[in-house]
Amino acid sequence: MAVRMEEVLTRRTGDPSSTDHPGNRLELSTEDGVTKIFGFWMFLVSDVLLFATLFATYVVIYTHTADGPSAAELFRHDVSGFLAETLALLTSSFTCGLATWEMHQGRAGRLKLWMIITLLLGLTFLGLEITEFHDFVSQGATMQTSAFLSGFYTLVGTHGAHVTLGILWMSLILYQLVRFGLNAVTARKFYIVGLYWHFLDIVWVLIFTVVYLTGVM
Amino acid sequence: MGDSLTNTAGHFFVTGDPMIIASDVAIVLVSLGIVFTLTYFKKWKWLWREWLTTVDHKKIAIMYLISAILMLFRGGVDALLMRTQLALPNMKLLSAEHYDQIFTTHGTIMILFMAMPFIFAMFNAVVPLQIGARDVAFPYLNAISFWLFFFGALLFNISFVIGGSPDAGWTSYPPLTELQFDPGVGENYYLLALSISGIGTIATGINFLATIIKMRAPGMTLMKMPLFTWAVLGTCIIILFVFPVLSVALALLLIDRLFGAHFFTMMYGGNPMQFVNLFWIWGHPEVYIAVLPAFGIYSEVVSTFSQKKIFGYKSMVASIMAISIIGNLTWVHHFFTMGAGPAVNTFFSITTMAVAIPTGVKVFNWLMTMYRGRITLSLPMMWVLAFIPNFALAGATGVWLAEAPTDYQYHNSYFTVAHFHQALIGGVVYGMLAGMYYWWPKMFGFKLKEKFGKWAFWFFNIGFYVCFIPQYVLGLMGMQRRMYTYTPDMHWTALNFVSTIGAYLMGIGFLCIAAQIIHSLVHMEKDLTGDPWGGRTLEWSLPSPPPHYNFAVIPQVSDRDEWWERKRRGEQDALKPRPEDIRNVHMPKNSGVPFLMGVCFFIAGFGFTFGWIAVGAAGLLGVLVCLAHRSLDQHPDHDIPADEIRRTEAALGRL
Ligand code: HEM
Ligand SMILES: [Cu+2]
């Protein structure tokens, strides 16, 4: 097993001022934490590949509108919608970063507060996205209309599904923070869900560019 | 009412074909037999506690190995049925539809449910031991991987009797596989079974990457790592990069089929070629995923049985890495004939041939290792020796295929079939058999007796050439792949007949292996040395099978062939634990959740296969519950007290 407890190195040096030194971080204070975070980075590589494939497919078919609405027609009516989504998600990534920062300061209370705000922003994003999808569908632009729309709903929807999972996951970790407090294990768990959250943010920036901006132009 | 019930049942359970009814009966009888035996010998609890809930990599290895051998049997029966159907012209053994299903399940099972679990059996059996670790990086995830593979394979296999098998080839190209042209559930089975086991495979890739990078014993730098572990590292990198692409390709096709989307349809803007690209971006590297671990095994076996250090270690490492990179740049050679144009075809022609260079380096190094070595001809070594000419021929015919203009001639002909079997059997299956023989004593604690093994070797090898050499010729004579039957005036009869004889010889070879295993079980010859071959790497420093924590004290490594060097210097006792060095060991607890998660995935897969969205969603919900359960588990690990370890080691005679 990863943790050789007898070798668990408590790397905290007791000098709280040098929090940016990786060896001092709570989530990296056990060998188990280090291995799991490394494993999670590897998982992210596979998720990058997953999205890359979806993007590639989308780029191949996004002009294949088969007499259905084109990207330009759809997204022009929705600029404020996808801008609001973007704003909500980018802000949530920022608040998630603040939560991490508070964690490294050892302030569990503020960590939880920023997590709640992150969750609320995530929910806002999801709500906006569902409204957008609903709008498009009620205009008759469904996944069955054209290859372009199949690609659109699948790519953006996969990201949305990731966000949903992220919200469930972060809530579970919030619960554990409340229940068990901030320790090497909960810190590692929050750190990992934070990585995931930032990753979704980056994917969204790409969606924003490749799907929406390219679409309106 | 009664009528409509039999009607639905008739659709649900495949009926009509006597062969399928016979297998129905066989399946029911075998299942009853298993249930009866387990109950009679009161083994249910044992099964659950020791196997279904285990997170020990060594036991997971054994479960993978058993599954792989069973699947080799299933895929082999498919192969024999096909070869029998083709033995003579105008044969009516199978219907055309049934033939289609059989080549599809044969190809899919052999690649995904035989070769993959076989390599994972080797990963699990060997890697932690070779690098001096107590387990893989994520043992719980490792169990999940196994159960996802297992239930994926199960889902695929039940298609035969429930609902009908896929029948569009293991490549499952749209638009042929779109709902419109391929109604029925067979294709859904294919897509979902591969998706489920694919998630497990990605997890395995991540797990072994983390294991190799983070868990090596102190002193084992990358350049001191055994070559099998290097090969696993290369394999895992490829898995990480290409399996997600397969997952997406399958998911998109499934979305087309279940929800009426248009990724790959002929109308509404779909683009079937996109699937072909995505499929082979995974599919070509997949052959390196299967063959690199085999290369790793050859390296270990050659060096052990020549009693020499491997020749050209660094160039071996470099070629593993080169193969895992260049291998990703060749996928278009699978569809040179689809009209991508000369520039694209030339590029992929050259990259394909470039892979021959690192491969050639490896073959050269194996030969040089044997040169002036003291060679012992035991079974693992025999399979390595048989592999070399095979792979030379596979490489040569591969280069012919890699030249785009000539490929127009052989594309989708029996020439191709002969070529890829030469690579897959001669490269992968031979390697896995060599590995199985080599590490069997380590995994099970007893040696396989050689008698039936030698018979197996000769039957399989001679059968191999008799089966596939005629197929090259048939391909050049114009016989197409996936042909259900032919007429006598094609003049293909004699060669096809010979080929079928070869297939049966291989079948006898397989039976000899089964006989060998049973024979060795009955006349068990326990291996008390832990090092029956005079091994070179750390796994041979442990007793066989190793205790579940592997190393009582983690060894300090200073050499590439650590164990060999220690033996040479007469220091082998230095790798035994000293009582005062033994501390408590932290190990993961067993858990039934990975198994249950597999069951949930199975329910989800089965539901979606039949378009029962509610069942599918319920299965996925179950998966989420399993994940949450794990996250909330505060005590997934426990300590084995040092005293207990001292007792175990003393009982093993190591203290
Ligand atoms: C053990 C002896 C084997 C025999 C006699 C055998 C025979 C055959 C035959 C007769 C076909 C159908 C060719 C056609 O109709 O076009 C076939 C296809 C295939 N085989 Fe095998 N095979 C064997 C082992 C294997 C192994 C070990 C693998 C992979 C690891 C494998 C992978 C495939 C694949 C991928 C196909 C293509 C299926 C398709 O066209 O969709 N075979 N084999
Ligand atoms: Cu290829």
Side-chain angles (χ1 to χ4, degrees), chain A residues 179-191:
Chain A
R179 180 86 200 274
F180 311 115
L182 183 58
N183 55 37
V185 173
T186 45
R188 182 250 301 158
K189 288 186 176 181
F190 171 71
Y191 186 79

Side-chain angles (χ1 to χ4, degrees), chain B residues 132-156:
Chain B
R134 293 217 164 104
D135 204 328
V136 296
F138 313 117
Y140 184 87
L141 184 67
N142 200 20
I144 294 179
S145 289
F146 173 76
W147 290 112
L148 291 193
F149 149 72
F150 180 88
F151 283 104
L154 190 66
L155 187 66
F156 191 81

Side-chain angles (χ1 to χ4, degrees), chain A residues 64 144 147 150 154 176 180 189, chain B residues 259 262-263 268-269 631 634:
Chain A
H64 300 198
Q144 294 79 23
S150 305
T154 305
Q176 292 177 46
F180 311 115
K189 288 186 176 181
Chain B
F259 306 115
H262 298 290
F263 286 104
Y268 300 99
S631 180
Q634 286 298 296

Side-chain angles (χ1 to χ4, degrees), chain B residues 49 278 323 336 341 344 474 479 614 641:
Chain B
R49 294 231 323 249
L278 295 181
I323 291 173
F336 279 148
V344 172
L474 281 168
M479 180 162 162

Side-chain angles (χ1 to χ4, degrees), chain B residues 29 79 85 94 105 114 194 201 212 216 236 254 263 272 292 294 313 336 340 342 351 409 494 524 599 608 644 654:
Chain B
L29 287 181
Q85 163 67 26
L94 304 171
T105 51
M114 188 284 288
L194 265 58
T201 302
I212 295 171
R216 274 169 292 132
C236 289
L254 193 67
F263 286 104
L292 274 184
Y313 174 88
F336 279 148
T351 51
Q409 182 68 26
M524 178 138 11
V599 172
F608 286 122
E644 192 185 321
R654 289 172 56 82

Side-chain angles (χ1 to χ4, degrees), chain A residues 9 19 34 39-41 44 50 59-60 69 75 77 86 101 118 122 143 149 167 180 189 197 207:
Chain A
L9 309 166
T19 40
V34 174
F40 192 74
W41 275 105
L44 282 184
L50 180 136
V59 170
V60 168
F75 305 149
H77 301 294
T86 309
W101 195 73
T118 307
M143 181 176 241
L149 283 166
I167 289 174
F180 311 115
K189 288 186 176 181
W197 198 263
I207 290 183

Side-chain angles (χ1 to χ4, degrees), chain B residues 566-577:
Chain B
R566 298 259 187 169
K567 283 192 289 189
R568 208 174 50 83
R569 296 197 298 260
E571 297 171 358
Q572 54 267 53
D573 282 350
L575 282 179
K576 288 186 180 165

